[in-house]
Amino acid sequence: MLLMAAGFIMLAFGETAHNLKPIFFEFKNIPIEYFGFVFGFTFAFSSLVHYLSYHVSERIGDKSTLILSAVAFPLFLFLSTLTTGVFSIALLVLTSIPYGLRNPVMQHLLNIEIESKKRATILSINNLLGGIGMAIGGLFIGYFADLWSINTA
């Protein structure tokens, strides 16, 4: 249940925020020419951290890695709304750290904890919850953006 809750929260905020990055960049007056570079750095950094996630989880434990990733992502995202320009971009790229840490650890734990005959069903439910999290996260961010601004949301 902890794994599914972490996945729900991370996808609710993570994927929704990732899909809204171009709008956020425009709001922060970041030129469109930099969008591709930022997305490239984000994915490259996430891939690097994805590769290193085993070493991190071995050092601090799987549960601590999931908790760290669940706390760090909203923290970096929130701090990026308080800054402008290069600092805002840097903090948004740093959101790829918890995202890259979470996925391998979560997949590993799901495969270890679930017996083989139930694995396909549980993984489908986990993906369904992640999709529901993205839908609900998008609704909340859209609602708050309508009330205030995309920066506040």
Side-chain angles (χ1 to χ4, degrees), residues 7-9 11-17 19 127-143:
F8 179 82
I9 291 168
L11 283 173
F13 292 110
E15 289 297 318
T16 305
N19 291 332
N127 288 332
L128 175 69
L129 286 175
I132 291 170
M134 285 179 7
I136 291 172
L139 290 173
F140 277 110
I141 288 176
Y143 174 74

Side-chain angles (χ1 to χ4, degrees), residues 49-151:
V49 174
H50 188 88
Y51 176 73
L52 298 172
S53 66
Y54 172 76
H55 301 291
V56 173
S57 69
E58 281 292 310
R59 180 165 281 174
I60 66 172
D62 292 333
K63 188 176 178 181
S64 297
T65 303
L66 286 177
I67 291 170
L68 174 69
S69 66
V71 170
F73 185 86
L75 178 68
F76 289 142
L77 194 60
F78 175 72
L79 290 174
S80 71
T81 64
L82 301 177
T83 60
T84 57
V86 177
F87 294 114
S88 182
I89 292 173
L91 287 166
L92 279 172
V93 169
L94 287 177
T95 61
S96 64
I97 292 173
Y99 197 76
L101 279 175
R102 180 190 68 93
N103 285 336
V105 173
M106 190 149 165
Q107 292 302 318
H108 170 72
L109 287 175
L110 284 171
N111 286 316
I112 285 176
E113 296 294 327
I114 302 167
E115 60 184 273
S116 182
K117 65 181 181 180
K118 296 179 182 177
R119 191 171 296 140
T121 303
I122 299 294
L123 291 176
S124 294
I125 291 170
N126 186 47
N127 288 332
L128 175 69
L129 286 175
I132 291 170
M134 285 179 7
I136 291 172
L139 290 173
F140 277 110
I141 288 176
Y143 174 74
F144 289 124
D146 282 345
L147 286 179
W148 298 294
S149 69
I150 193 68
N151 191 45

